[in-house]
Amino acid sequence: MGWLARLQPLVGDDSRVQAWLAQARALPERDFYRSIAPHMPQLAFGCYGALRAAAARRQEREVRWLVPTLLTELHTALCLINRR
């Protein structure tokens, strides 16, 4: 929702973004968490596994690329959990 709140459409009606945010915020908290729970591991675990594998193989260049990606994915997951 954080990324969505910053979205500025180049074409079309920008009030649709606000409508989507309102729709997401109107969802009861329990239903919201129940709907995202199955998808949370996909947000960071794939990148984390790749990072560990690159570190085990001592691929420093790959590690340098994966660390910011992992941090972005964790940030996105936390924003989703906090509904921000």
Side-chain angles (χ1 to χ4, degrees):
M1 289 175 51
W3 294 105
L4 185 59
R6 294 180 182 183
L7 182 68
Q8 295 180 0
L10 298 175
V11 177
D13 185 11
D14 62 345
S15 66
R16 294 203 48 159
V17 173
Q18 295 306 317
W20 292 333
L21 286 168
Q23 184 179 9
R25 289 183 184 120
L27 189 64
E29 192 169 318
R30 185 176 193 174
D31 294 337
F32 174 78
Y33 290 121
R34 189 178 300 144
S35 69
I36 67 167
H39 308 287
M40 292 305 289
Q42 298 168 357
L43 287 176
F45 289 147
C47 185
Y48 178 71
L51 178 64
R52 291 196 37 123
R57 290 189 299 254
R58 301 193 184 280
Q59 295 175 326
E60 292 181 28
R61 185 179 219 168
E62 187 73 18
V63 168
R64 278 188 247 133
W65 285 102
L66 287 169
V67 167
T69 304
L70 177 64
L71 292 175
T72 300
E73 290 177 354
L74 290 173
H75 177 261
T76 301
L78 286 173
C79 288
L80 187 58
I81 290 168
N82 291 321
R83 297 180 82 171
R84 300 250 185 257

